[in-house]
Amino acid sequence: MAILEVKNLSKTFGDLKVLKDISFSVEEGQVVSVIGPSGSGKSTLLRCINQLEHADGGEINVCGMNMLRTENGKAIYAPKKTLREIRLKIGLVFQNFNLFPHMSVMQNIIEAPFRVLKQPKQDAIKTAQELIGKMGLTGKEKSYPCELSGGQQQRVSIARALALKPDVLFFDEPTSALDPELTGEILKVIKELAEEKMTMVIVTHEMEFARDVSNHVIFMDGGFIVEEGDPAELFGNTQNERTKQFLKRYKGV
């Protein structure tokens, strides 16, 4: 079953067309990595799916619910109630953590389940404690973001997204703000989620990681999907010259 379907998606900023007729789908339990040079439209694609940007046209369906359609050349979004339901089906982990600086680790994680989902506070705390343990953050419950390393902050961000029990989790370059020595701990967490069959879409510049963790890889350039397919085929046997040119910059793939 396709959890996410994107068809003919387009997005323009002024005179710059950032997304050009983007179409792909994500199946339940699948890990899809989106790779490509900076400025290729990867992050904008995630922002459109997560309702942080309004697309100019195309179609987006999440968990069988229509979020966006196009009629007579005009983008039409679903009613607010449906958009809210869709928003609760997806989670997004930002590259710059986006934690609430005035809240502790525990408060950051329970805020949305308690305020948005209206969970009983004790239930939200129990889930948060489980996630804190899973992320290797036991003992940091009362710490504030400024007291944590970048890797720890990103693990809190992942726990916060998971606390809402999303059907699909999006990562926007989750290691780009981290020192190289901290990158591995975040990639390890994401690999563990992949082993648990968490449906994920990951925008990343970590090519070896994309090859090893993904079921499907999408290569974007200039607002287009240039190539997509099985990681072993795309990384090891691509016939596309633009893909070859891009991958030449990365050792080990």
Side-chain angles (χ1 to χ4, degrees), residues 1-9 22-28 30 32 45 48-49 57-69 86 90 168 170 199 201 218 225:
M1 171 189 166
I3 280 187
L4 172 67
E5 294 177 298
V6 177
K7 300 176 184 177
N8 310 116
L9 191 68
I22 299 291
S23 298
F24 70 98
S25 64
V26 179
E27 301 294 317
E28 185 175 0
Q30 194 174 32
V32 175
L45 173 61
C48 285
I49 296 168
E59 183 178 339
I60 301 175
N61 298 299
V62 179
C63 298
M65 293 181 285
N66 178 254
M67 180 178 123
L68 168 71
R69 69 185 192 279
I86 290 173
I90 58 184
V168 56
F170 294 85
T199 308
V201 178
I218 295 171
I225 291 179

Side-chain angles (χ1 to χ4, degrees), residues 101-144:
H102 61 291
M103 292 184 178
S104 67
V105 167
M106 177 63 74
Q107 290 169 327
N108 262 284
I109 296 172
I110 69 171
E111 179 69 7
F114 179 57
R115 303 283 182 190
V116 179
L117 296 184
K118 307 300 182 186
Q119 285 184 4
K121 195 165 188 177
Q122 283 308 116
D123 290 353
I125 289 172
K126 183 181 177 183
T127 298
Q129 287 173 331
E130 292 171 357
L131 290 168
I132 286 168
K134 186 174 184 174
M135 294 295 135
L137 293 166
T138 301
K140 299 293 185 181
E141 291 86 349
K142 296 181 180 179
S143 299
Y144 287 84

